[in-house]
Amino acid sequence: MASKEDEKAAPAIQAYAAADVVEGNVYMSNDEAHLASLGYKQEFYRHLGLFENWAATFSSMNFISGIPVLFGWIMYTGGPSSAFANWTMIGGLSFIVSLSMAEIAAAMPTSGGIYFWSYRLGGEKWGPFLSWMTAWWNWIGWICVVPGVQQGSTNFLLGALEISYPNATIVYQGWFSWLLTAIGMFFAMAPNIISQRVLRLYFRFATFIFFVLFLFYWIWFPIKAAQNGHFQSRAGVFNHFYNGINEGDKKEASDAYCWVIGILFGAWVFFGYDASAHLAEETHDASIVVARGMWMSTLSAWLLSIPTLIIILFCMQDFEGIVSAEYSNNWAEYLVQLVGPRGAVAILSLLWVDSTCATASCFMSAQRVTFAISRDGVLPFSKYFRRLNRNKIPVNAAFLVCALSIAITCAVIGSSVAFTAITATGTIATNFSYLFPIMARHTVGRDTFKPAEWNLGKFSLPMGIISGLYIMFLFCVLLLPQLYPVTAMSLNYAPICIGIVTIISVVGWVLPFGLGGMHWFAGPKRTI
């Protein structure tokens, strides 16, 4: 039986197709017809395929620089055993989430992705509210992810500079770190504002740099460890736990607590599945390709990253030296011990390039989400941010993402824990936004959801339950303090950031005098 949304869309689709015939054009493609059935006309060029869709999520996860970003952090927040266990566990759970997301994406391939799903699954009663909440959480999450990833990239570059110029005081200044991050942000924005051709070339370049570093890890690291005559023992990798989050005179955080906190190590990498969905309106055969891009990228990242992490841990030379080092990113100490200063500088420089490419992928998602929710009037000044240039690129949305990202990065100037707060906030907000459509799929939307050709069948419900429980667990854990004793300098500011997100989304919905979303937001707007 057709839903009310489908019934409303049918005349529009027919009119749109008829207009094409009158003008002497061809009929709509299957992708365009499917998009029209969801209420949107085709605005982007559809020049992307499975590779670009896979690469969008794979390069957003990008474990080859994701492992080093928080490597020094996980070494004192559980050590090697915690790193391996948490990474393996989180990767597996994230794969289940990607499958749950992919099933919905196959049925509703739109640029707005998950907030559109929430609306359709919520129906007339709950759709507008769920869509509003999902839009704000997902958008703010991606806006925090972009500066978080680029700040991690900057820390690689700072590590290289600290090795090369150990006495240069400017390298240790907060404003200098902010400046490098801001400059990197412009590099990340570039492929997202020129053309789809440049974006396709970028995906190929990012993949090439990724596998160059991948081969370094798999070949050069073991060779150097053998030349140095030292590999970690099996016990040193799988049984070595270290609780370094207690900085005071007494032990306030237990070993179990420390182990749980360490899940950020994997959670920071294994998310962003909706990156594939945000390219749906630019992808051929979107109903099939977007779903494949989601789960294939997550699975390949998980399976390739586990042996990579094992190699890294076995090749580690001096654990105590890494934990006690004072580089901007203690991965620099790991590299100095293993491949020497010159080799370390070379790899850190490549990691800066690779991680900036990851920022560009995250930037693309933030930009597409900004365009999509502006198309539906969610953001202030939406009319401006939903505009496309002559190359069908949402350039104004890109400028907004860049400006907000640079502003958020200012936090690193005066705080030593700002980076982990930004990473935790981005991880929490994006993952929590996934919860809305996944839960709606199996509650208020269970009777109206129409699975696409690719679906999970009888496994849909159990995977949805696992996904929901994992996301709620992640939400709680990442709000906890990460260092003890808790002071103004060591406080985890993620709860404050999440509180702000909550206020914006909830208060923005219930504001009186016709200002709140509940008074005027009826869900995604039809453009056809």
Side-chain angles (χ1 to χ4, degrees), residues 317-331:
Q317 300 297 290
D318 179 11
F319 173 80
E320 294 296 336
I322 293 171
V323 171
S324 61
E326 296 183 357
Y327 290 106
S328 296
N329 183 329
N330 280 3
W331 176 253

Side-chain angles (χ1 to χ4, degrees), residues 229-245:
H230 179 71
F231 286 96
Q232 292 290 323
S233 65
R234 182 181 181 279
V237 171
F238 299 113
N239 299 327
H240 185 181
F241 181 85
Y242 181 81
N243 183 346
I245 66 174

